Amino acid sequence: MRNLLHILYCIYQLLVGVPVVVIATIITAIEVGIGCTLGNGHFWGYYPGRWWAKVILRTLLLPVKVEGREHLERDQSYVFVANHQGAFDIFLIYGYLGRNFKWMMKHQINKIPFVGYACRKSHQIMVDKRGVSKIKKTYEDARNILREGYSVTVFPEGARTFTGHMGVFRKGAFALADELQLPVVPLTINGSFNVLPRMRDWRFISWHPLRLTIHQPIYPVGQGSENVTATLRQAYDSVMSGLDSEYQGYMENPDQ
């Protein structure tokens, strides 16, 4: 019975899911491009992407549960940090976090058709480590967004997991939060690895519920290296605590 349902779900993906994803992505990219050119870039750089993510998850029949929105204050800027289970992390956070934010993402995303164009037009923050000047620009872009009262979302592991477990967190996002004395909000993602593990990119997805847990903000208790280290450790423990039991515990990620 399970095999039959999986076969039917794969057929549904081919006939319905893929066309909707492609069409929705093209329409959203055009909408973002025109909107950011003519109007408020912060509006057009967020809301079309949010609707796009929701349309894709609903079309693919993936149920979503969000926990912890009550921890966020309405007008507060945050540095959100999340574990990176898979490609569907993007849709889950974009569609259901419920905050206007900019992504800090790998510059290679620029090469994805339509998606790269929309990211450039909406001034998402491209993390480019190919030289000191590019690294400085990445963090200056992030500072400017946060100073304007918006938030940023970062995957501090820097790469998707190969196992569903967490690797190490890099310090960049925490140093940025420390510099501007902003709270860090840990996010735990469950289910994304089950939907599409990294080793199965560009293949059929598997049906599995998605869950986003928003933990309590971690406010700075000082400034400097000690605060950065303490915040990183607390955020890591918070994210880990929300993972399903099968993915608890550290596992080295060779791509980090």
Side-chain angles (χ1 to χ4, degrees), residues 61-81:
L61 310 178
L62 298 173
V64 173
K65 182 179 181 181
V66 181
E67 302 170 331
R69 279 209 190 102
E70 68 276 7
H71 295 146
L72 303 180
E73 297 178 21
R74 187 183 185 103
D75 297 319
Q76 174 67 55
S77 293
Y78 295 107
V79 176
F80 293 101
V81 295

Side-chain angles (χ1 to χ4, degrees), residues 140-153:
E140 189 57 39
D141 290 344
R143 289 186 194 99
N144 291 337
I145 291 297
L146 289 164
R147 285 170 179 149
E148 289 178 27
Y150 295 89
S151 299
V152 298
T153 298

Side-chain angles (χ1 to χ4, degrees), residues 119-195:
C119 289
R120 290 192 299 274
K121 293 297 291 186
S122 58
H123 301 291
Q124 305 299 327
I125 304 161
M126 298 296 174
V127 179
D128 192 339
K129 299 180 180 179
R130 298 173 298 176
V132 175
S133 62
K134 294 183 183 295
I135 294 173
K136 287 182 177 178
K137 184 180 185 308
T138 294
Y139 284 97
E140 189 57 39
D141 290 344
R143 289 186 194 99
N144 291 337
I145 291 297
L146 289 164
R147 285 170 179 149
E148 289 178 27
Y150 295 89
S151 299
V152 298
T153 298
V154 186
F155 295 115
E157 292 170 281
R160 289 176 291 160
T161 176
F162 286 95
T163 63
H165 295 76
M166 286 169 56
V168 298
F169 276 7
R170 304 301 186 190
K171 289 186 177 181
F174 303 95
L176 183 64
D178 174 76
E179 178 185 336
L180 300 178
Q181 289 291 279
L182 292 173
V184 170
V185 178
L187 305 174
T188 300
I189 293 169
N190 280 293
S192 180
F193 183 77
N194 303 80
V195 171

Side-chain angles (χ1 to χ4, degrees), residues 33-78:
I34 294 173
C36 289
T37 300
L38 299 178
N40 184 343
H42 289 304
F43 176 89
W44 292 104
Y46 170 67
Y47 286 99
R50 181 184 181 187
W51 301 327
W52 166 76
K54 285 189 172 185
V55 165
I56 288 174
L57 292 184
R58 289 175 179 174
T59 299
L60 294 173
L61 310 178
L62 298 173
V64 173
K65 182 179 181 181
V66 181
E67 302 170 331
R69 279 209 190 102
E70 68 276 7
H71 295 146
L72 303 180
E73 297 178 21
R74 187 183 185 103
D75 297 319
Q76 174 67 55
S77 293
Y78 295 107

